[in-house]
Each structure stands twice: as C-alpha cells, then as structure tokens.
Amino acid sequence: MPSKQVMARLLIIILNSLIVLSGMAFSQIPADMKSKSPMTRENDPGEYKVRRSEEEWKEILEPKQFEILRKAGTERAFTGLYNDNKKPGIYYSAATGQPLFASDSKFDSGCGWPSFFEPIIPGAILYRTDKSFGVERTEIIDSSSGSHLGHVFDDGPPPTGLRYCMNSAAMIFVGIDEDPPDRVREYMVNHATGEEKKAVSNFLESHKSI
C-alpha cells in the first residue's frame, strides 16, 4: 500500500494537472466570449424574406463566409478584414446584401473584431440566446436570412452602451464613393424596406460634403 507521502505527492500532481487542463480549456475560448452579456434576449421569428437551402448558400458564399454565416463560426481575433477599417461607408450582410451598420457607429473596442454600438436601423439585427461553450451570450443574426453575424455585449460606449461584435467575413463594406456589388444592389432593389432605403440614403447624403 503506498505511503502517505506518496499519496500526498500523487494528489498534488492530480490537482496541478486539473488546474492546467481547466486553464487550457478556458484559454481556448476566444477572448471575446469571456465578456459578460447579461442582456440575453430572443426575438428570432425563424422566418426570413431571403430563403435558400444550405446547398444554395454553399454555392453563393465563399467557404469562410459559409462557415461563419451559416455554421456560426468565428474568425480569429485581429485577423478580420474590417477590424481596423476606418473608412466611411456602410457594412452590409455578406449573405444577402442587407444594410447592417453605418461606419459612424463603428468604434475600436480592442477586442480584435469589428465593433459597432448600434445597427443602421433597429430591425436589421435579430437576437438569439447562445449557450455554447458553457457561456450564455446573445447571438446576433441578420433579419433578412437568419445568418450568423457575431454577438452583442453590454460593455460598449454611449449612447447605447452596447458592443455589436462582428465577424468581418459576415459583412460586405461599401465605401461612400464605391459602387455596391451585385448582392447589395439586388437586395436594395428587391428586398429593402422603406426604412432601410431611407437610412442608407440619409447616410450617403450626410457624407457627401465630408
């Protein structure tokens, strides 16, 4: 039978191993997922005006876009195309071309993902409760197709106090002097609401003289 000293050493080794393993598991959760999000809410109706099969989505989206938009994937921090983008313009859903955010609401949160304090119109974003990784958060999706965009947290700046933490690959950025791609044009012609059209028009008009 092992002596008390041997048993004590074994117990210390086991405890140290558990501490290391738990630390590794937590470190593998993206830093942004460690932020608090007590504002969890649900308003996803499950019905969207742009509907496609997953095979159709796979055909029109790039692999990285498909993984994020349709499989709720996440980019690595500080790797997204728009994390450091400071140009004036509008960010649209890469799935449908729906307007999501104006550059006026973008801010540097330091989290490594593009961050905004409010959508271009309230109805652009829908919310789901996300309990993956054992952390309760609020997932955000575009209201036009239910495609995953990122998460929202309540540690943002005034006036909303919110941080919409986005994946760059989930968006298409169009600068104020740039022509929108076909996906954006098609959405604005065939699916955009009057409120969406007005929000885009007002933004572009307000930046003409800048």
Side-chain angles (χ1 to χ4, degrees):
M1 182 175 179
S3 67
K4 291 183 178 180
Q5 285 184 331
V6 172
M7 291 295 292
R9 287 177 184 174
L10 286 173
L11 181 60
I12 291 172
I13 291 171
I14 292 170
L15 289 173
N16 285 337
S17 298
L18 289 173
I19 291 170
V20 170
L21 288 172
S22 63
M24 287 175 61
F26 188 71
S27 68
Q28 290 169 350
I29 298 176
D32 197 68
M33 293 171 58
K34 299 170 190 174
S35 300
K36 62 178 182 176
S37 182
M39 51 162 292
T40 305
R41 55 187 171 184
E42 292 264 5
N43 72 345
D44 174 21
E47 291 291 331
Y48 318 104
K49 55 188 171 186
V50 179
R51 291 179 290 179
R52 293 186 173 94
S53 68
E54 292 306 302
E55 285 303 314
E56 289 173 324
W57 283 120
K58 190 174 288 188
E59 287 180 7
I60 68 169
L61 297 173
E62 297 175 2
K64 189 174 183 180
Q65 292 175 326
F66 181 80
E67 176 63 24
I68 290 171
L69 289 161
R70 304 306 304 173
K71 299 298 182 181
T74 303
E75 296 168 335
R76 286 186 296 112
F78 301 101
T79 64
L81 180 63
Y82 303 132
N83 183 50
D84 295 320
N85 185 34
K86 295 178 173 61
K87 296 178 182 177
I90 296 176
Y91 294 82
Y92 299 83
S93 168
T96 65
Q98 175 188 12
L100 299 174
F101 298 94
S103 58
D104 290 350
S105 69
K106 192 173 188 288
F107 68 100
D108 183 6
S109 67
C111 71
W113 288 274
S115 299
F116 305 83
F117 58 76
E118 66 180 354
I120 192 166
I121 63 168
I125 302 294
L126 294 175
Y127 305 86
R128 293 173 179 161
T129 300
D130 178 3
K131 296 183 179 180
S132 61
F133 295 93
V135 180
E136 187 166 302
R137 297 170 294 152
T138 302
E139 177 188 5
I140 50 177
I141 59 177
D142 70 25
S143 62
S144 57
S145 68
S147 295
H148 175 80
L149 303 172
H151 293 83
V152 62
F153 302 92
D154 66 351
D155 55 8
T160 65
L162 300 178
R163 172 171 58 97
Y164 290 84
C165 186
M166 301 286 293
N167 288 284
S168 290
M171 300 183 291
I172 298 169
F173 174 75
V174 181
I176 55 174
D177 297 321
E178 298 174 352
D179 292 327
D182 290 343
R183 192 164 301 166
V184 172
R185 283 200 298 267
E186 192 273 337
Y187 180 89
M188 295 305 294
V189 170
N190 298 320
H191 300 293
T193 64
E195 187 179 9
E196 287 174 321
K197 291 178 180 178
K198 184 177 179 180
V200 170
S201 176
N202 287 348
F203 175 84
L204 295 177
E205 284 293 326
S206 68
H207 285 73
K208 275 187 176 180
S209 58
I210 297 177

